[in-house]
Amino acid sequence: MACQSVAAIMDEQALLGLNPDADARYRQRAMAYFEQLKESQDAWEVCAEALAKGIYSEDHVKFFCFQVLEHQIKFRHAGLSAGQQQLIRETLMKWLQCQLMNTQPEKPFIRNKAAQVFALTFVMEYLTLWPKFFFDILSLVGLNPHGVDIYLRTLMAIDAEVVDRDILHPPEESRRNTLIKDTMREQCIPNLVESWFLILQTYQQSHPELTCQCLEVVGAYVSWIELNLIANDRFVNLLLSQMSVEELREEACDCLFEIVNKGMDPVDKTKLVESLCQVLLSAGFFNIEQEEDVDFLAKFSRLVNGMGQSLVLSWTKLVKCGNVKDAADALQAIEAKVPLLLQLLVHEDDDISANIVSFCYEYLHVLKQVSPSHMTSKVFVKMVYLSCLMSSQLPQLTDQQKANIEAVMLAVMKKLTYDDEYNFENEGEDEAMFVEYRKQLKMLLDRLAQVSPELLLEAVRRVFTSTMQGWQTAQFMEVEVAIRLLYMLGEALPTSHGAHFSGDAAKTSALQDMMRTLVSCGVSSYQHTSVSLEFFETVVRYDKFFIVEPQHIPNVLMAFLDQRGLRHNSPKVRSRVAYLFSRFIKTLHKQMTAFIEDILTRIQDLLELAPPENGFPALLTSDDQLFMFETAGVLIVNGESPVERKQALMRSLLTPLMDAFRLLLAKLPQETEEDRQAALADCLSHAVGFASRTSKAFSNKQTVKQCGCTEVYRDCLQTFLPALSCPVQQGVLRSSVRSFLHRMIICLEEEVLPFIPAASEHMLKGCEAKDLQEFIPLISQITAKFKSQVSPFLQQVFMPLVLAIFEVLSQPAEENDQVAALEKQMLRRSYFTFIQTVAGSGMNEVMANQGAENIERVVFTIIQGAVDFPDPVAQKTCFIILSKLVELWGGKDGMVGFPDFIYKHIVPACFIAPLKPTFDLTDAQTVLTLSECAITLKTIHLKRGPEFIQFLQQEYLPSLQVSPEISQELCQVLQQPDIKVLKNYIKAFFQRAKL
């Protein structure tokens, strides 16, 4: 079939580019043609005609025509003539009519696009031009399967456009959507519901896919239409009958879930859920042990979860409003669902179990609230008082509720267990899903501990003790989960700062018994990674146990140090144990005195720097070794050895690193291969990082000086600093040495100062934005810590640093290079922070001695930062600097010429910046910037007095066309002592100015 008039108008060559196999030239032409049709006043009409007459059989051309139509409706509808709008309606109805006559339906992607276009037209025209939209479509399609398919897809597309809460709409669209829904409720919803019932009834056997689509539509619309239209005998009976049909049951379940989820009065909701449950029970759906279809059971579990949560919500609302009788009915309804909840929770399929966890969690929350020890709600306590007037005691958990709690505990313990298929060495998607599921179960365990900590403690103790007695013959998953439960108690049971072994005697005794069993029964030798990991995790979780019973420390230390821990055959275990060992030693360093040198000897080979040419894989990665070096440092520093011994031990730890560093640094410039250079640079970086990590052991009580370690760290500095002048791999080397300097400023204090000038000179050579951005915090740290001590050095380095920053910031970058733009923004922020640190450190001379021209240049960059760059973080810093400079130089004895600078540049900045369109007064960070701007104005007034007020009233504010009344008002507020008043006024002033 062909239509010469249209074919002559449409660009056939361009249409070839729509074919998925077309080459780039044709595709580019097709894109250009698409843009042409979109933007033309009437050229798009050829696409409408092509769709209405079915001219093209190629799917990609039909899709293209719908795209063009979609653009016109979405973006240009208001500008179309009445005739063009009528053409769109006629096109859609003619295309739909063609679908009724076709033997084969269009491809799904075309039907979906057509539904989107129908939906967009509906949204634009239903309230005005096409109120009979649904009547016209239903009259045309009747019960034709192809037509019904388009009708249902259109309804789902309308839901996406009008109802879907996940899509954010502007206020105007939200108001329009509300009006559409209100109009639909009045005019057509009953007819739509009737059409759904007919479709569900007619096609449930012949066209199950249409029935599923219709169920999805019902589920989507039930949240905002009159519930009685759906929640009635004929609809519910139909849905229940479809829950017995294999192809329909999952969608029917989802539909019932949406019905149950609908917001409504709590008493009505309870009645709805109960009636639905009764029908489901009578139909045999609660006999889940007879159901083999796990996909359906997952949906059914979600439905039961929804019903349970709805009942809990109803109970909560009824409790809050003091409705004792109906709250009791709701609680009884909740309790009646618990046997089904438990069956689903303990089901072997984790998806089925996971879908019911939320109801289980909320049920436990209900029990927590009805438990007398947790009654905090005034309303609830009053209800309990009223309901218990006839008896002299508060309600306790019933025997059945206690049994339910124990059943949930057993279910959680069972479901926490790994299965045989879990792949510990190569964890994939299934394993990740089980880990997430375990987190949900942990939430249940935590809630169980809140409801009845005694029951939980006893249940865990029972499982743990019996498993540990026979761990040698038990499967790994049983052993792992027993230890895991003990570990989980640490977070579940309430405690203060991990003090599990003081306070409540019953809890303390039980935990001590279990820990004693764990570390003495030999289970640390179990040959499975999951058990090994859980053992060490639990030992560290309860590390304070060893303060109470230190006799167990030697055995646990050996487990850490031998093939059970740091020398385990699994890299995963070794890596985790390195970190856990570090934590263990930090907590128990006072108990380690007798073992220090033995531990250091045993871990000596784990403290060696792995050379890049070594082909053998190291036991620990470099990241793991960081923890080992920190551990070694903690042992040395916190031991009770004399200062001389500590000094000798620290030197023996660090000297091999320094020796290796010198050798590798000498090799690096001689290497020509870049990969080899990178490997050597990484190794050098690791050496510096290891040395740096040992210094974390020092504290205010145990300083470097007190431990006699100043000299060895000074030697490290002298060894590492030459790396700054290495001509290759500068980024890696500079970064590591810079980090070491940060640590040494803290640890060595004044001893580090002689090294700073040469280090700074090297780090400023040939640096890029990122290098400078990382270097500035080092200088700021030195400035803030040593202040006047480093004033001569700062005066010397100030302008070279500033000029290096200016040079990097002035380098051109590609317009779309977002990484470069971000680096420059961060460098600019760092620069302003540096100036703020210098200005705020009481070293007026650092900037004052840079010469008038340089000072002016720097201060102009501060003005520029405050006004020109739409970055509120940087702007705030700039106004802080300007305030400080006014305070330093703005008085009568301040810097010559600075008062003029205040009036010419700083005052205008305080008004120009907030008036910029990019200065968003609704943004919290920008409001903080405005506060600093107000402080700047206040500081100027404090320094210049009436002269400033006169300048504002007579010169500056009139130049901004500010009325004399407003000028006077502002000046009066400026003269008030309370800065808060000024901040509030300034915000209102600029809000008015921007209207």
Side-chain angles (χ1 to χ4, degrees), residues 842-880:
M843 290 182 284
N844 185 16
E845 70 279 3
V846 172
M847 285 179 66
N849 292 344
Q850 299 302 320
E853 191 177 325
N854 284 334
I855 294 171
E856 187 175 344
R857 189 174 176 185
V858 170
V859 180
F860 266 122
T861 65
I862 309 304
I863 297 288
Q864 189 182 24
V867 176
D868 292 343
F869 299 110
D871 176 4
V873 174
Q875 287 176 292
K876 176 187 163 193
T877 308
C878 289
F879 279 114
I880 292 171

mmCIF file of all heavy atoms in Angstrom, residues 842-880:
data_model
loop_
_atom_site.group_PDB
_atom_site.id
_atom_site.type_symbol
_atom_site.label_atom_id
_atom_site.label_comp_id
_atom_site.label_asym_id
_atom_site.label_seq_id
_atom_site.Cartn_x
_atom_site.Cartn_y
_atom_site.Cartn_z
ATOM 1 N N GLY A 842 46.440 36.018 63.446
ATOM 2 C CA GLY A 842 47.115 37.086 64.186
ATOM 3 C C GLY A 842 48.452 37.469 63.601
ATOM 4 O O GLY A 842 49.297 38.037 64.293
ATOM 5 N N MET A 843 48.679 37.136 62.320
ATOM 6 C CA MET A 843 49.961 37.482 61.680
ATOM 7 C C MET A 843 49.719 38.519 60.589
ATOM 8 O O MET A 843 49.808 38.229 59.384
ATOM 9 C CB MET A 843 50.616 36.223 61.107
ATOM 10 C CG MET A 843 51.130 35.286 62.181
ATOM 11 S SD MET A 843 51.942 33.842 61.486
ATOM 12 C CE MET A 843 50.545 32.891 60.954
ATOM 13 N N ASN A 844 49.385 39.698 61.018
ATOM 14 C CA ASN A 844 49.097 40.807 60.108
ATOM 15 C C ASN A 844 50.244 41.038 59.135
ATOM 16 O O ASN A 844 50.056 41.356 57.967
ATOM 17 C CB ASN A 844 48.826 42.062 60.955
ATOM 18 C CG ASN A 844 48.396 43.241 60.106
ATOM 19 O OD1 ASN A 844 48.019 43.078 58.956
ATOM 20 N ND2 ASN A 844 48.462 44.428 60.696
ATOM 21 N N GLU A 845 51.465 40.809 59.654
ATOM 22 C CA GLU A 845 52.658 41.136 58.863
ATOM 23 C C GLU A 845 52.832 40.254 57.630
ATOM 24 O O GLU A 845 53.480 40.651 56.657
ATOM 25 C CB GLU A 845 53.917 41.048 59.741
ATOM 26 C CG GLU A 845 54.328 39.636 60.180
ATOM 27 C CD GLU A 845 53.552 39.114 61.376
ATOM 28 O OE1 GLU A 845 52.642 39.815 61.862
ATOM 29 O OE2 GLU A 845 53.859 37.987 61.820
ATOM 30 N N VAL A 846 52.272 39.022 57.652
ATOM 31 C CA VAL A 846 52.475 38.103 56.525
ATOM 32 C C VAL A 846 51.949 38.713 55.240
ATOM 33 O O VAL A 846 52.638 38.740 54.217
ATOM 34 C CB VAL A 846 51.798 36.734 56.786
ATOM 35 C CG1 VAL A 846 51.838 35.861 55.533
ATOM 36 C CG2 VAL A 846 52.485 36.017 57.933
ATOM 37 N N MET A 847 50.720 39.250 55.289
ATOM 38 C CA MET A 847 50.168 39.881 54.096
ATOM 39 C C MET A 847 50.655 41.329 53.966
ATOM 40 O O MET A 847 50.946 41.792 52.864
ATOM 41 C CB MET A 847 48.640 39.836 54.124
ATOM 42 C CG MET A 847 48.080 38.457 53.804
ATOM 43 S SD MET A 847 46.280 38.381 53.855
ATOM 44 C CE MET A 847 45.835 39.423 52.486
ATOM 45 N N ALA A 848 50.770 42.023 55.089
ATOM 46 C CA ALA A 848 51.138 43.451 55.041
ATOM 47 C C ALA A 848 52.511 43.670 54.422
ATOM 48 O O ALA A 848 52.761 44.719 53.813
ATOM 49 C CB ALA A 848 51.093 44.039 56.451
ATOM 50 N N ASN A 849 53.403 42.693 54.554
ATOM 51 C CA ASN A 849 54.781 42.858 54.047
ATOM 52 C C ASN A 849 54.970 42.341 52.621
ATOM 53 O O ASN A 849 56.103 42.151 52.174
ATOM 54 C CB ASN A 849 55.771 42.145 54.976
ATOM 55 C CG ASN A 849 55.860 42.820 56.330
ATOM 56 O OD1 ASN A 849 55.425 43.953 56.491
ATOM 57 N ND2 ASN A 849 56.417 42.124 57.320
ATOM 58 N N GLN A 850 53.883 42.113 51.907
ATOM 59 C CA GLN A 850 54.004 41.589 50.537
ATOM 60 C C GLN A 850 54.099 42.684 49.478
ATOM 61 O O GLN A 850 54.176 42.399 48.284
ATOM 62 C CB GLN A 850 52.808 40.671 50.210
ATOM 63 C CG GLN A 850 52.678 39.451 51.089
ATOM 64 C CD GLN A 850 53.918 38.567 51.063
ATOM 65 O OE1 GLN A 850 54.545 38.358 50.019
ATOM 66 N NE2 GLN A 850 54.302 38.061 52.242
ATOM 67 N N GLY A 851 54.059 43.945 49.903
ATOM 68 C CA GLY A 851 54.122 45.050 48.943
ATOM 69 C C GLY A 851 52.722 45.441 48.492
ATOM 70 O O GLY A 851 51.840 44.591 48.345
ATOM 71 N N ALA A 852 52.524 46.750 48.276
ATOM 72 C CA ALA A 852 51.187 47.290 47.975
ATOM 73 C C ALA A 852 50.553 46.619 46.752
ATOM 74 O O ALA A 852 49.367 46.280 46.749
ATOM 75 C CB ALA A 852 51.281 48.799 47.764
ATOM 76 N N GLU A 853 51.350 46.426 45.710
ATOM 77 C CA GLU A 853 50.795 45.855 44.463
ATOM 78 C C GLU A 853 50.297 44.434 44.678
ATOM 79 O O GLU A 853 49.198 44.065 44.238
ATOM 80 C CB GLU A 853 51.893 45.879 43.388
ATOM 81 C CG GLU A 853 51.364 45.554 42.001
ATOM 82 C CD GLU A 853 52.463 45.660 40.936
ATOM 83 O OE1 GLU A 853 53.353 46.538 41.071
ATOM 84 O OE2 GLU A 853 52.424 44.847 40.004
ATOM 85 N N ASN A 854 51.090 43.627 45.384
ATOM 86 C CA ASN A 854 50.691 42.234 45.640
ATOM 87 C C ASN A 854 49.471 42.157 46.558
ATOM 88 O O ASN A 854 48.571 41.336 46.344
ATOM 89 C CB ASN A 854 51.849 41.456 46.275
ATOM 90 C CG ASN A 854 52.917 41.094 45.247
ATOM 91 O OD1 ASN A 854 52.623 40.976 44.056
ATOM 92 N ND2 ASN A 854 54.155 40.932 45.702
ATOM 93 N N ILE A 855 49.470 43.030 47.597
ATOM 94 C CA ILE A 855 48.324 43.036 48.517
ATOM 95 C C ILE A 855 47.052 43.356 47.741
ATOM 96 O O ILE A 855 46.020 42.688 47.899
ATOM 97 C CB ILE A 855 48.532 44.069 49.648
ATOM 98 C CG1 ILE A 855 49.705 43.658 50.537
ATOM 99 C CG2 ILE A 855 47.255 44.214 50.484
ATOM 100 C CD1 ILE A 855 50.116 44.711 51.534
ATOM 101 N N GLU A 856 47.143 44.388 46.896
ATOM 102 C CA GLU A 856 45.966 44.788 46.122
ATOM 103 C C GLU A 856 45.490 43.644 45.230
ATOM 104 O O GLU A 856 44.290 43.358 45.132
ATOM 105 C CB GLU A 856 46.313 46.020 45.275
ATOM 106 C CG GLU A 856 45.100 46.601 44.573
ATOM 107 C CD GLU A 856 45.434 47.896 43.842
ATOM 108 O OE1 GLU A 856 46.497 48.500 44.120
ATOM 109 O OE2 GLU A 856 44.633 48.292 42.992
ATOM 110 N N ARG A 857 46.446 42.956 44.628
ATOM 111 C CA ARG A 857 46.090 41.850 43.730
ATOM 112 C C ARG A 857 45.360 40.738 44.499
ATOM 113 O O ARG A 857 44.353 40.200 44.038
ATOM 114 C CB ARG A 857 47.362 41.303 43.080
ATOM 115 C CG ARG A 857 47.095 40.312 41.974
ATOM 116 C CD ARG A 857 48.383 39.938 41.278
ATOM 117 N NE ARG A 857 48.137 38.906 40.271
ATOM 118 C CZ ARG A 857 49.086 38.315 39.570
ATOM 119 N NH1 ARG A 857 50.355 38.646 39.765
ATOM 120 N NH2 ARG A 857 48.791 37.390 38.675
ATOM 121 N N VAL A 858 45.885 40.406 45.676
ATOM 122 C CA VAL A 858 45.277 39.345 46.487
ATOM 123 C C VAL A 858 43.885 39.756 46.944
ATOM 124 O O VAL A 858 42.918 38.993 46.830
ATOM 125 C CB VAL A 858 46.171 38.996 47.707
ATOM 126 C CG1 VAL A 858 45.419 38.075 48.675
ATOM 127 C CG2 VAL A 858 47.459 38.315 47.240
ATOM 128 N N VAL A 859 43.767 40.982 47.452
ATOM 129 C CA VAL A 859 42.474 41.418 47.988
ATOM 130 C C VAL A 859 41.433 41.508 46.871
ATOM 131 O O VAL A 859 40.254 41.220 47.088
ATOM 132 C CB VAL A 859 42.614 42.748 48.756
ATOM 133 C CG1 VAL A 859 41.260 43.193 49.306
ATOM 134 C CG2 VAL A 859 43.593 42.594 49.914
ATOM 135 N N PHE A 860 41.861 41.882 45.676
ATOM 136 C CA PHE A 860 40.923 41.904 44.547
ATOM 137 C C PHE A 860 40.388 40.497 44.244
ATOM 138 O O PHE A 860 39.236 40.326 43.855
ATOM 139 C CB PHE A 860 41.574 42.514 43.294
ATOM 140 C CG PHE A 860 41.310 43.983 43.160
ATOM 141 C CD1 PHE A 860 42.363 44.898 43.088
ATOM 142 C CD2 PHE A 860 40.006 44.471 43.113
ATOM 143 C CE1 PHE A 860 42.119 46.260 42.971
ATOM 144 C CE2 PHE A 860 39.753 45.836 42.991
ATOM 145 C CZ PHE A 860 40.811 46.731 42.926
ATOM 146 N N THR A 861 41.248 39.471 44.424
ATOM 147 C CA THR A 861 40.753 38.097 44.196
ATOM 148 C C THR A 861 39.699 37.722 45.241
ATOM 149 O O THR A 861 38.782 36.953 44.952
ATOM 150 C CB THR A 861 41.895 37.056 44.244
ATOM 151 O OG1 THR A 861 42.454 37.012 45.564
ATOM 152 C CG2 THR A 861 42.961 37.338 43.219
ATOM 153 N N ILE A 862 39.843 38.294 46.448
ATOM 154 C CA ILE A 862 38.840 38.025 47.493
ATOM 155 C C ILE A 862 37.513 38.688 47.113
ATOM 156 O O ILE A 862 36.444 38.089 47.257
ATOM 157 C CB ILE A 862 39.313 38.529 48.879
ATOM 158 C CG1 ILE A 862 40.728 38.019 49.200
ATOM 159 C CG2 ILE A 862 38.327 38.111 49.960
ATOM 160 C CD1 ILE A 862 40.886 36.529 49.150
ATOM 161 N N ILE A 863 37.586 39.907 46.620
ATOM 162 C CA ILE A 863 36.376 40.601 46.151
ATOM 163 C C ILE A 863 35.730 39.802 45.022
ATOM 164 O O ILE A 863 34.512 39.582 45.000
ATOM 165 C CB ILE A 863 36.720 42.031 45.659
ATOM 166 C CG1 ILE A 863 37.266 42.892 46.806
ATOM 167 C CG2 ILE A 863 35.513 42.680 44.992
ATOM 168 C CD1 ILE A 863 36.237 43.306 47.833
ATOM 169 N N GLN A 864 36.565 39.370 44.096
ATOM 170 C CA GLN A 864 36.063 38.580 42.960
ATOM 171 C C GLN A 864 35.398 37.291 43.446
ATOM 172 O O GLN A 864 34.325 36.913 42.975
ATOM 173 C CB GLN A 864 37.231 38.248 42.021
ATOM 174 C CG GLN A 864 36.809 37.634 40.702
ATOM 175 C CD GLN A 864 38.004 37.276 39.826
ATOM 176 O OE1 GLN A 864 39.116 37.058 40.328
ATOM 177 N NE2 GLN A 864 37.785 37.207 38.533
ATOM 178 N N GLY A 865 36.023 36.620 44.419
ATOM 179 C CA GLY A 865 35.458 35.385 44.964
ATOM 180 C C GLY A 865 34.129 35.612 45.654
ATOM 181 O O GLY A 865 33.230 34.777 45.599
ATOM 182 N N ALA A 866 34.001 36.780 46.305
ATOM 183 C CA ALA A 866 32.757 37.090 47.010
ATOM 184 C C ALA A 866 31.619 37.412 46.043
ATOM 185 O O ALA A 866 30.453 37.139 46.339
ATOM 186 C CB ALA A 866 32.974 38.274 47.947
ATOM 187 N N VAL A 867 31.956 37.959 44.857
ATOM 188 C CA VAL A 867 30.919 38.483 43.961
ATOM 189 C C VAL A 867 30.710 37.625 42.709
ATOM 190 O O VAL A 867 29.572 37.296 42.346
ATOM 191 C CB VAL A 867 31.270 39.931 43.536
ATOM 192 C CG1 VAL A 867 30.260 40.458 42.524
ATOM 193 C CG2 VAL A 867 31.333 40.835 44.752
ATOM 194 N N ASP A 868 31.804 37.242 42.060
ATOM 195 C CA ASP A 868 31.691 36.733 40.682
ATOM 196 C C ASP A 868 31.459 35.240 40.548
ATOM 197 O O ASP A 868 30.942 34.783 39.521
ATOM 198 C CB ASP A 868 32.957 37.109 39.883
ATOM 199 C CG ASP A 868 33.043 38.607 39.649
ATOM 200 O OD1 ASP A 868 31.997 39.277 39.811
ATOM 201 O OD2 ASP A 868 34.130 39.104 39.318
ATOM 202 N N PHE A 869 31.864 34.443 41.542
ATOM 203 C CA PHE A 869 31.739 32.992 41.400
ATOM 204 C C PHE A 869 30.526 32.490 42.181
ATOM 205 O O PHE A 869 30.458 32.680 43.398
ATOM 206 C CB PHE A 869 33.011 32.280 41.887
ATOM 207 C CG PHE A 869 34.235 32.671 41.112
ATOM 208 C CD1 PHE A 869 35.232 33.436 41.708
ATOM 209 C CD2 PHE A 869 34.377 32.290 39.783
ATOM 210 C CE1 PHE A 869 36.357 33.812 40.997
ATOM 211 C CE2 PHE A 869 35.508 32.670 39.070
ATOM 212 C CZ PHE A 869 36.486 33.433 39.664
ATOM 213 N N PRO A 870 29.575 31.859 41.510
ATOM 214 C CA PRO A 870 28.362 31.390 42.210
ATOM 215 C C PRO A 870 28.632 30.124 43.026
ATOM 216 O O PRO A 870 28.123 29.048 42.747
ATOM 217 C CB PRO A 870 27.383 31.109 41.054
ATOM 218 C CG PRO A 870 28.250 30.775 39.889
ATOM 219 C CD PRO A 870 29.525 31.555 40.060
ATOM 220 N N ASP A 871 29.481 30.277 44.034
ATOM 221 C CA ASP A 871 29.843 29.157 44.909
ATOM 222 C C ASP A 871 29.702 29.650 46.353
ATOM 223 O O ASP A 871 30.607 30.284 46.895
ATOM 224 C CB ASP A 871 31.289 28.728 44.616
ATOM 225 C CG ASP A 871 31.769 27.623 45.552
ATOM 226 O OD1 ASP A 871 30.946 27.146 46.371
ATOM 227 O OD2 ASP A 871 32.954 27.243 45.472
ATOM 228 N N PRO A 872 28.553 29.392 46.982
ATOM 229 C CA PRO A 872 28.307 29.968 48.320
ATOM 230 C C PRO A 872 29.347 29.582 49.361
ATOM 231 O O PRO A 872 29.597 30.341 50.298
ATOM 232 C CB PRO A 872 26.916 29.436 48.692
ATOM 233 C CG PRO A 872 26.601 28.336 47.730
ATOM 234 C CD PRO A 872 27.402 28.592 46.510
ATOM 235 N N VAL A 873 29.964 28.387 49.225
ATOM 236 C CA VAL A 873 31.000 27.970 50.185
ATOM 237 C C VAL A 873 32.183 28.933 50.104
ATOM 238 O O VAL A 873 32.686 29.439 51.123
ATOM 239 C CB VAL A 873 31.447 26.523 49.916
ATOM 240 C CG1 VAL A 873 32.621 26.145 50.805
ATOM 241 C CG2 VAL A 873 30.290 25.553 50.111
ATOM 242 N N ALA A 874 32.636 29.190 48.871
ATOM 243 C CA ALA A 874 33.772 30.104 48.678
ATOM 244 C C ALA A 874 33.373 31.537 49.029
ATOM 245 O O ALA A 874 34.148 32.276 49.656
ATOM 246 C CB ALA A 874 34.253 30.028 47.227
ATOM 247 N N GLN A 875 32.162 31.946 48.643
ATOM 248 C CA GLN A 875 31.716 33.313 48.925
ATOM 249 C C GLN A 875 31.689 33.592 50.426
ATOM 250 O O GLN A 875 32.098 34.663 50.885
ATOM 251 C CB GLN A 875 30.323 33.535 48.320
ATOM 252 C CG GLN A 875 30.338 33.648 46.792
ATOM 253 C CD GLN A 875 28.934 33.765 46.233
ATOM 254 O OE1 GLN A 875 28.155 32.817 46.293
ATOM 255 N NE2 GLN A 875 28.611 34.933 45.692
ATOM 256 N N LYS A 876 31.216 32.623 51.180
ATOM 257 C CA LYS A 876 31.164 32.778 52.637
ATOM 258 C C LYS A 876 32.583 33.014 53.186
ATOM 259 O O LYS A 876 32.810 33.924 53.999
ATOM 260 C CB LYS A 876 30.557 31.520 53.256
ATOM 261 C CG LYS A 876 30.528 31.524 54.772
ATOM 262 C CD LYS A 876 30.058 30.172 55.290
ATOM 263 C CE LYS A 876 30.397 30.009 56.751
ATOM 264 N NZ LYS A 876 30.252 28.647 57.228
ATOM 265 N N THR A 877 33.542 32.201 52.723
ATOM 266 C CA THR A 877 34.936 32.346 53.177
ATOM 267 C C THR A 877 35.463 33.735 52.828
ATOM 268 O O THR A 877 36.149 34.375 53.639
ATOM 269 C CB THR A 877 35.823 31.261 52.538
ATOM 270 O OG1 THR A 877 35.239 29.983 52.764
ATOM 271 C CG2 THR A 877 37.227 31.289 53.101
ATOM 272 N N CYS A 878 35.122 34.203 51.626
ATOM 273 C CA CYS A 878 35.614 35.518 51.187
ATOM 274 C C CYS A 878 35.085 36.641 52.070
ATOM 275 O O CYS A 878 35.827 37.570 52.425
ATOM 276 C CB CYS A 878 35.219 35.752 49.726
ATOM 277 S SG CYS A 878 36.138 34.716 48.573
ATOM 278 N N PHE A 879 33.821 36.589 52.443
ATOM 279 C CA PHE A 879 33.275 37.633 53.322
ATOM 280 C C PHE A 879 33.899 37.556 54.720
ATOM 281 O O PHE A 879 34.096 38.588 55.377
ATOM 282 C CB PHE A 879 31.755 37.537 53.390
ATOM 283 C CG PHE A 879 31.068 38.185 52.202
ATOM 284 C CD1 PHE A 879 30.345 37.421 51.301
ATOM 285 C CD2 PHE A 879 31.178 39.557 51.988
ATOM 286 C CE1 PHE A 879 29.731 38.014 50.210
ATOM 287 C CE2 PHE A 879 30.561 40.157 50.889
ATOM 288 C CZ PHE A 879 29.839 39.381 49.994
ATOM 289 N N ILE A 880 34.225 36.339 55.181
ATOM 290 C CA ILE A 880 34.926 36.202 56.474
ATOM 291 C C ILE A 880 36.288 36.895 56.390
ATOM 292 O O ILE A 880 36.701 37.623 57.310
ATOM 293 C CB ILE A 880 35.091 34.714 56.849
ATOM 294 C CG1 ILE A 880 33.726 34.082 57.156
ATOM 295 C CG2 ILE A 880 36.017 34.555 58.049
ATOM 296 C CD1 ILE A 880 33.761 32.570 57.335
#
